[in-house]
Amino acid sequence: MNEYENIVTLTDMDGAEVDFEILDIVPYEGGDYAVLLPVDDDSDTVDAVILEILHAEEENEEDMLQGVEDPAVLDAVFGLFVERNKDEFNFEQ
């Protein structure tokens, strides 16, 4: 049985496919943001990835994920994520 749920495969800028687990979808200022964690990262500290969800306008289209450039938005979304999941994850201060 796969230990991960909610896995998405994204293509990085070099064209390599990378699997991420969706930890949460955080609503913020009228948008939705996916907080992702790389599945195959063996490092001691793993950084979460936050991407904005661009919802499809047509029913037959798929939602898209887009990087977030604004550090204030990243900080706000991550803060909301931590608050929503403080009992689920062990966050380093």
Side-chain angles (χ1 to χ4, degrees):
M1 180 174 189
N2 190 349
E3 67 181 278
Y4 299 102
E5 297 179 15
N6 300 321
I7 302 296
V8 294
T9 302
L10 304 176
T11 305
D12 68 13
M13 295 184 76
D14 297 325
E17 291 187 344
V18 181
D19 291 333
F20 290 88
E21 180 179 13
I22 302 171
L23 300 179
D24 197 1
I25 304 296
V26 177
Y28 177 71
E29 292 193 350
D32 291 319
Y33 296 82
V35 180
L36 311 169
L37 200 62
V39 171
D40 293 326
D41 193 328
D42 294 330
S43 63
D44 291 338
T45 58
V46 179
D47 292 329
V49 175
I50 298 173
L51 300 174
E52 183 177 9
I53 301 171
L54 304 175
H55 295 286
E57 293 182 18
E58 301 290 326
E59 195 171 307
N60 60 346
E61 294 178 353
E62 292 186 17
D63 291 345
M64 301 285 289
L65 297 171
Q66 171 178 286
V68 178
E69 300 285 330
D70 187 340
V73 172
L74 290 171
D75 288 343
V77 170
F78 188 71
L80 290 169
F81 168 73
V82 169
E83 181 62 31
R84 290 165 50 114
N85 294 281
K86 62 186 172 200
D87 296 332
E88 177 115 8
F89 299 104
N90 182 17
F91 296 101
E92 290 184 8
Q93 298 296 324

